[in-house]
Amino acid sequence: MFLVDRLLLVAAVLVIVGILSSKFSARIGLPVLVLFVGVGMLAGSDGIGRIEFTNWEVAHGIGTIALAIILFDGGLRTALTSFRLALRPALSLATVGVFLTAGITGAAAAWLLDLPLLAGFLLGSIISSTDAAAVFNVLRSSGVHIRKRLAAVLEVESGSNDPMAVFLTIACLQLLLGERELGIGLLGLFVLQMGVGSITGFAVGKLALHGINRVNLQAAGLYPIITASAGLFAFGIASVLGGSGFLAVYLAGVVIGNAELAFKRGTLLFMDAAAWLSQIGMFVMLGLLAFPGRLIAVTAEGVFVAIVLIFIARPVAVAISLAPFRMGWRDQTFIAWVGLKGAVPIVLATYPLMLGLPDADVLFDIIFFAVLLSAVTQGWTIPVLAKRLHLQLPPQPKPPVTLEITSIQDVDADILEYTLHESSRAVHRRLRDLRLPERAVIALIARGDRIIPPRGSTELLPGDHVFVVLKPRIRPLVDRMFSSSSRTEPITPDATEFPLDAATTTLADLAEFYDTELDGDPESTLAEFLEHALGSAPDLGTLYEAGDITLHVLSLADDQVDCVGLRVTNRSRARPSPDERAAPETLV
């Protein structure tokens, strides 16, 4: 048997065992990283597998590639709405918070472990970042649902704080090795890392979108591969230029994920699988690097570092970082406790080993122990804490089916899934009585475990899952019809025209479904209203302005107005708070 045959067998067994163990992890609220690491430790030289693996360079390489894939997938799934809701507090946590966490933990470690202060700061820097995969895996698997802004802060912070931890680690290493002096040089390194990383990520994301949507690949399976390659290219080019590859790959994912992308649904599925495989492979590999006997030897030191990190450094850093923002003590307590550690600290702990720093193996073991302790103690208590702090919201019902458009080329269409609430404008109405905008079609209705064919006589009920195929630009109008009537935004003024059926849409429909009022007989259709207001049958392209509303005749049928474009030119209504806005799930 060739060596590669054995390697394939071992790799397959480890992946299968890791995946099966994740089922157990979900039931007890334990982060999957702990189970995957446990599988690696069992397979290691001190476990039943007796696999010898101590190649730090290979471990660093595999870990870096895996983290790049995980961050790119996270960026693809980070909505711009999350950035708008949470950018400032999350950015403060990802920079000031990481710096304070590293400083407090490092100073305490230097005092207790009798280390040079700089070596203590190196330990604190390595362990200062939180892990996005660990945080949201626990939240999802344990069924914790929290407010949108709080979830957005956790999402953006955990996805963007790795570059700061990497910068602090590199800075400490360069200072320890005498390659750089404390002062303006470190400031220049910070500006270079963050500046080049940000510019590269944004630029590569934009260029990738332009190229992927225009290249005509014959095989659909090539689109996810070229998209993933664009993310890795952003990481590589930023690193070569001296910037933060982690920041670049995350921002490239955000740019690509929030735009129209060819074969987007297939790409997201591919990246989800790639991210899971990366997590499994990376954590199992890190488990192979751990030696239980050595971890037991640093139990006291690891426990002390974890206690300082969890109960002192993180809470103080969160309180100071969020002081300028209006976040209550409950939110701050939850954010502080959900600062789970993951793969990044363990991968960064390989840096001193590769550079041959004294006692680097002891440092690695302490960090490894503290990360595992953090994951175990904090992971399973998150649902309990969310409930005690009254932060947990009722879970949103999930549809029993999904619907998607599969297309190799980018198509100007979305599929949205709405879960109807009692206060929705569409509830208890028949489909023929709805005044959907032109180019919006109800494709499917799921009620309980049944599929309801959409017919004109079908009555919509609370709890129904309605799948709507529409043009992206008319989404604001459709949102208003199917979302909760008390939680939708007023139509915002812009240059977008929303096409409406002028022959069936009445002024009463306009007021009821879209909160847009015109003076006239409520039972008049838009076609009748225009003819009466203008004194004659309108021509194609006719514009009619009434206050902040403009009606534009888009099409005629038998000399009668058939389709009218609605444009809102000015609105001063107050918008609801971000946490109150209801948004559907985009399936394409």
Side-chain angles (χ1 to χ4, degrees):
M1 181 182 290
F2 294 106
L3 176 61
V4 67
D5 300 331
R6 296 177 182 175
L7 290 176
L8 286 174
L9 176 61
V10 171
V13 170
L14 292 177
V15 170
I16 292 172
V17 173
I19 291 174
L20 294 178
S21 68
S22 67
K23 294 291 293 182
F24 174 73
S25 167
R27 291 179 181 177
I28 63 176
L30 195 66
V32 290
L33 102 84
V34 178
L35 272 299
F36 293 154
V37 167
V39 171
M41 294 174 69
L42 284 175
S45 57
D46 287 357
I48 59 177
R50 301 296 179 184
I51 299 175
E52 295 282 350
F53 181 71
T54 56
N55 193 318
W56 304 108
E57 288 78 9
V58 172
H60 168 259
I62 294 175
T64 299
I65 294 172
L67 286 173
I69 293 173
I70 293 169
L71 284 173
F72 186 60
D73 177 66
L76 288 173
R77 299 174 189 279
T78 300
L80 283 179
T81 52
S82 296
F83 268 86
R84 297 189 186 103
L85 287 175
L87 180 59
R88 291 188 298 167
L91 188 61
S92 179
L93 286 168
T95 52
V96 177
V98 171
F99 180 81
L100 291 173
T101 301
I104 296 171
T105 306
W111 170 71
L112 175 80
L113 305 179
D114 196 23
L115 295 173
L117 189 58
L118 194 53
F121 285 151
L122 174 62
L123 185 151
S125 300
I126 290 173
I127 207 170
S128 59
S129 68
T130 61
D131 185 80
V135 169
F136 283 93
N137 178 266
V138 170
L139 292 177
R140 286 192 296 266
S141 63
S142 57
V144 176
H145 299 272
I146 53 179
R147 294 196 313 274
K148 288 184 179 181
R149 187 176 187 230
L150 181 56
V153 170
L154 290 170
E155 178 184 8
V156 177
E157 182 226 352
S158 58
S160 60
N161 64 5
D162 294 337
M164 187 66 177
V166 174
F167 161 74
L168 293 174
T169 300
I170 293 175
C172 288
L173 286 171
Q174 290 185 351
L175 291 172
L176 283 168
L177 296 173
E179 297 177 358
R180 193 180 296 269
E181 294 183 359
L182 189 64
I184 194 68
L186 287 181
L187 179 60
L189 177 63
F190 176 80
V191 172
L192 179 68
Q193 287 260 304
M194 303 305 166
V196 171
S198 300
I199 295 172
T200 302
F202 183 80
V204 171
K206 287 294 186 182
L207 290 174
L209 277 173
H210 181 80
I212 293 170
N213 286 336
R214 284 163 178 76
V215 66
N216 187 18
L217 300 176
Q218 298 303 314
L222 294 177
Y223 282 93
I225 296 175
I226 194 173
T227 304
S229 299
L232 296 178
F233 177 78
F235 182 95
I237 194 68
S239 300
V240 168
L241 295 175
S244 171
F246 292 110
L247 180 59
V249 72
Y250 178 71
L251 289 180
V254 172
V255 171
I256 295 173
N258 284 277
E260 297 298 324
L261 180 69
F263 204 63
K264 186 173 185 178
R265 177 68 174 171
T267 298
L268 290 176
L269 290 174
F270 173 86
M271 288 306 307
D272 184 55
W276 269 109
L277 184 60
S278 298
Q279 287 188 65
I280 295 171
M282 177 174 57
F283 291 140
V284 170
M285 177 203 66
L286 294 175
L288 290 173
L289 291 173
F291 298 90
R294 284 172 32 184
L295 292 179
I296 293 174
V298 297
T299 298
E301 293 87 345
V303 169
F304 175 82
V305 170
I307 289 175
V308 171
L309 183 66
I310 296 171
F311 295 102
I312 301 176
R314 173 72 176 176
V316 170
V318 168
I320 295 176
S321 301
L322 297 181
F325 310 102
R326 295 181 178 179
M327 299 195 73
W329 68 268
R330 290 185 177 87
D331 288 355
Q332 293 191 29
T333 301
F334 191 73
I335 291 172
W337 189 252
V338 184
L340 297 176
K341 306 305 170 185
V344 173
I346 302 177
V347 172
L348 291 180
T350 64
Y351 286 21
L353 287 161
M354 290 189 298
L355 296 174
L357 262 64
D359 298 324
D361 54 342
V362 177
L363 189 70
F364 178 88
D365 293 336
I366 294 173
I367 292 171
F368 200 108
F369 189 98
V371 168
L372 289 184
L373 189 60
S374 165
V376 171
T377 56
Q378 293 174 272
W380 69 270
T381 57
I382 287 176
V384 178
L385 182 65
K387 186 175 181 180
R388 289 291 181 88
L389 294 175
H390 305 290
L391 297 175
Q392 189 162 355
L393 301 177
Q396 292 293 325
K398 293 294 182 182
V401 295
T402 59
L403 190 65
E404 63 183 78
I405 296 175
T406 300
S407 173
I408 291 181
Q409 294 298 321
D410 181 30
V411 293
D412 186 24
D414 280 342
I415 295 180
L416 301 184
E417 184 267 320
Y418 295 89
T419 300
L420 299 187
H421 300 275
E422 184 65 47
S423 59
S424 169
R425 292 175 171 87
V427 163
H428 300 304
R429 293 184 177 274
R430 301 188 186 278
L431 296 188
R432 61 169 170 257
D433 297 328
L434 298 180
R435 295 297 178 251
L436 284 171
E438 292 287 310
R439 305 181 185 93
V441 177
I442 296 178
L444 184 69
I445 302 170
R447 181 174 297 161
D449 58 356
R450 294 186 300 146
I451 301 299
I452 307 296
R455 300 189 179 96
S457 60
T458 303
E459 182 182 358
L460 295 176
L461 301 177
D464 282 354
H465 302 278
V466 181
F467 295 83
V468 183
V469 182
L470 48 73
K471 297 284 186 179
R473 68 187 182 89
I474 65 173
R475 176 172 175 170
L477 286 189
V478 181
D479 283 351
R480 301 187 62 75
M481 184 169 293
F482 292 106
S483 299
S484 172
S485 60
S486 63
R487 295 184 175 182
T488 49
E489 298 182 64
I491 302 173
T492 54
D494 54 31
T496 300
E497 284 188 345
F498 303 107
L500 298 171
D501 187 338
T504 60
T505 304
T506 65
L507 302 190
D509 294 330
L510 209 63
E512 181 175 4
F513 290 120
Y514 306 125
D515 289 339
T516 302
E517 298 183 1
L518 291 171
D519 292 332
D521 182 0
E523 300 304 318
S524 297
T525 65
L526 290 179
E528 293 169 344
F529 170 79
L530 283 174
E531 186 171 351
H532 180 269
L534 296 172
S536 61
D539 296 325
L540 186 66
T542 297
L543 295 175
Y544 175 81
E545 296 184 1
D548 55 3
I549 298 172
T550 300
L551 298 179
H552 179 199
V553 178
L554 298 178
S555 66
L556 302 173
D558 298 330
D559 295 327
Q560 299 295 318
V561 179
D562 179 56
C563 184
V564 168
L566 170 69
R567 182 187 302 174
V568 179
T569 55
N570 182 32
R571 285 280 171 174
S572 59
R573 300 180 188 177
R575 300 186 185 182
S577 65
D579 287 334
E580 294 180 343
R581 297 175 187 170
E585 179 181 357
T586 304
L587 302 180
V588 175

